Amino acid sequence: MLKQRIFTALVLLALLLPALWMKSPALLGLWMGLLILAGSWEWSRMNQLKAPTSVVAPLFFYVLLAMLVSRLNWHDLTGPFISVALMVVALIWIVAVPWMLTHGMQHWLKVPQFIRLVFGWLLITACAASILAAHQIGLEFLLSILCLVWCADIFAYFGGRLWGRRKLAPSISPGKTWAGVYTAAVAVLSMSGAWIWADIHAGHSTVSLYTLMWQSSPFVWLGGTLILFTFSVCGDLVESLVKRVSGFKDSSQLLPGHGGVLDRIDALLPVLPLAMLIRWGLGT
């Protein structure tokens, strides 16, 4: 299993790194399109759509969404339309997360299926759009957001294995512990602090999200980083909840050794839109 996970990760990196390093967003946009389609198909399956409806329904939704967007006459992913759209997505996360983690185990499947489906499709789309928008700002900016989630995931795992006793949400995700959360929080703050130091001493022309927050205020950096970290944990828990109540172990088997696409990007779903909103809020 470990060899399979490593091999899949190396293949994904080999495919994605060229797209990240290209200045043109065309190749990255192609990958984001595939991410949206795969993630939306997985979300449809987890919300009781059977083939071929699980494929046709999200495609129909995205055709309608594309027609709507094409009529809004917007040209820049970092422009006002996207910022307003991501504000709506951030509000959805802020409202949905407490409700789902408090009542979701009993009531998620009682929510009308149409609402559940559109909820997921929109959040997946917002995540992909945020990746493209962050890439336009700069590769270092995008990587700083991605590394927050990766760092949190890695250190939560090892912290939980070493010191985990008290469960974080046993009915949703029995493997997660409070020790893992605390370990990950310290690791994320340390990583972001080291990144700020490197940005300042290297004099980079494009800087990380952490440095942008630090330049505003150390309190903005601390609060913003902890908020993003908290929502990375929540994103993971929300996907785990949906899988558990729907009877799925993994969102799919598209990524051998890793499960599905949503299993890999669940923490990114809230973090990327919120990170973009923080950046726009700083006026940079």
Side-chain angles (χ1 to χ4, degrees), residues 30-31 111 118 128 135 137 139 157 162 239 256 261-262:
L30 173 62
W31 285 118
V111 176
V118 172
H135 184 259
I137 294 168
L139 179 58
Y157 173 79
L162 290 173
E239 198 238 357
V261 171
L262 291 180

Side-chain angles (χ1 to χ4, degrees), residues 13-93:
L13 284 173
L15 294 172
L16 289 175
L17 286 178
L20 291 175
W21 256 269
M22 287 178 61
K23 290 186 177 181
S24 169
L27 183 56
L28 184 60
L30 173 62
W31 285 118
M32 290 306 98
L34 293 176
L35 179 149
I36 288 173
L37 292 176
S40 298
W41 168 69
E42 291 175 352
W43 183 261
S44 301
R45 292 172 67 245
M46 290 193 297
N47 285 277
Q48 292 74 55
L49 283 188
K50 305 296 183 182
T53 312
S54 59
V55 176
V56 175
L59 284 175
F60 181 71
F61 171 80
Y62 287 120
V63 169
L64 292 179
L65 185 63
M67 292 172 62
L68 171 63
V69 170
S70 68
R71 297 178 64 86
L72 294 173
N73 193 28
W74 62 283
H75 303 285
D76 187 356
L77 279 170
T78 60
F81 170 72
I82 293 296
S83 63
V84 171
L86 293 184
M87 286 179 189
V88 174
V89 170
L91 181 61
I92 291 173
W93 275 107

Side-chain angles (χ1 to χ4, degrees), residues 170-254:
S171 63
I172 298 175
S173 185
K176 293 179 176 59
T177 65
W178 281 106
V181 172
Y182 298 144
T183 304
V186 171
V188 165
L189 289 173
S190 301
M191 181 270 295
S192 64
W195 206 313
I196 293 168
W197 182 90
D199 274 343
I200 293 173
H201 286 79
H204 293 166
S205 57
T206 60
V207 295
S208 66
L209 174 64
Y210 314 123
T211 302
L212 292 176
M213 292 191 292
W214 180 268
Q215 289 170 346
S216 176
S217 163
F219 296 105
V220 172
W221 161 73
L222 179 62
T225 303
L226 288 177
I227 287 172
L228 293 176
F229 166 73
T230 300
F231 272 89
S232 76
V233 176
C234 291
D236 196 335
L237 288 175
V238 164
E239 198 238 357
S240 295
L241 183 150
V242 174
K243 287 192 298 185
R244 182 165 289 271
V245 299
S246 302
F248 282 73
K249 183 179 183 296
D250 297 312
S251 58
S252 76
Q253 296 299 322
L254 287 178

